[in-house]
Amino acid sequence: MSATDKLASSDEIHAYLVARLNDTLRRPGMWGGELAIQLTLDHLLFVESRQGAWDDERRALERREASPPTGVAGAFEHFLPTGHDTRVASVYAEFAHRQGWLKLDRALSAEEYATMLAEIDTWAAQDRVWADVTSAFGVPSVLFGSTNPYYGKTLGYATADRSTPMLFFHLWNGTDPDTKPSWPPSHEQPLLLAARRGDAPFTTGFTFTPEGRRRRPAQDE
């Protein structure tokens, strides 16, 4: 590096990392998955001189049973079929939202959020697909994953109040167990398996659709 080269300012570095974090959360499979998210968070907290904030968050995740030794991806193994990139990203997005880093495509009003929270258990008692979620609750605040309906994805809903927990819908598309893989998948729309309340323990935070209960991994006795 020559003496005339100019380094990016701290504000420019911070803005770059926030943008990269949002890219990584939305398309984790393209950017390196859970490890890439963790590294970007670590860099952001270093720039803000708040490295200890992640230690606090890690302990909170452990209390929620959302981060066993196998990471956040391992926590989902007890609840949803394989293919966890967007689901894992949604958990890290909760932390990013509280820090003010998550860029929302749409912020729900307090009234929209309250209605959604009150209706979600009854609404998810029936099988649903991607279009049903957006028809009932509108465009998500964050789409984790591709816009292609042949891929699974997670829809996140949030208000501008960063202390209000996010709400998530985990959608799956793929090959049924014991069947030969095919492309495109047999489902034209990804199937809703579960709604999840952010910040809640994993043992109590999921509301499964009938399809989600059918596809939930077998639990060890």
Side-chain angles (χ1 to χ4, degrees):
M1 180 175 176
S2 70
T4 59
D5 290 333
K6 179 183 177 182
L7 292 173
S9 69
S10 58
D11 287 343
E12 290 171 330
I13 293 170
H14 186 271
Y16 171 83
L17 289 171
V18 169
R20 178 55 55 88
L21 175 63
N22 278 270
D23 290 340
T24 307
L25 290 171
R26 283 169 165 79
R27 300 299 294 271
M30 290 180 59
W31 292 95
E34 185 167 6
L35 180 58
I37 296 171
Q38 290 177 342
L39 289 173
T40 309
L41 289 173
D42 181 68
H43 294 159
L44 257 173
L45 289 169
F46 175 79
V47 170
E48 294 187 358
S49 299
R50 296 193 301 120
Q51 294 94 317
W54 182 245
D55 292 332
D56 295 338
E57 179 65 12
R58 185 182 295 111
R59 286 189 288 269
L61 289 173
E62 290 171 353
R63 289 193 297 270
R64 292 172 55 197
E65 300 181 73
S67 184
T70 50
V72 173
F76 278 101
E77 291 177 357
H78 301 291
F79 301 95
L80 298 171
T82 56
H84 305 307
D85 272 352
T86 68
R87 304 161 193 173
V88 169
S90 72
V91 173
Y92 288 98
E94 299 170 28
F95 178 69
H97 183 46
R98 293 195 301 273
Q99 307 310 307
W101 300 330
L102 187 64
K103 304 302 182 183
L104 303 181
D105 298 325
R106 179 174 79 95
L108 275 67
S109 68
E111 292 75 18
E112 287 176 313
Y113 181 89
T115 299
M116 190 175 186
L117 189 61
E119 294 178 352
I120 199 168
D121 285 342
T122 303
W123 184 87
Q126 301 179 37
D127 284 327
R128 309 286 186 176
V129 298
W130 181 14
D132 294 327
V133 181
T134 55
S135 177
F137 303 114
V139 175
S141 304
V142 185
L143 169 62
F144 302 94
S146 170
T147 57
N148 189 325
Y150 291 142
Y151 294 95
K153 57 196 87 271
T154 294
L155 311 183
Y157 290 81
T159 70
D161 180 358
R162 302 202 303 265
S163 67
T164 301
M166 296 181 70
L167 300 173
F168 301 97
F169 294 87
H170 299 299
L171 298 122
W172 172 91
N173 204 353
T175 304
D176 293 321
D178 303 320
T179 61
K180 186 177 181 180
S182 64
W183 189 260
S186 57
H187 307 288
E188 294 184 358
Q189 288 275 328
L191 311 178
L192 177 64
L193 300 187
R196 183 174 65 81
R197 291 161 178 77
D199 294 351
F202 264 39
T203 50
T204 60
F206 287 86
T207 298
F208 293 95
T209 62
E211 187 70 28
R213 288 193 294 272
R214 287 191 290 271
R215 294 183 181 276
R216 183 172 176 178
Q219 303 299 298
D220 295 333
E221 298 296 335

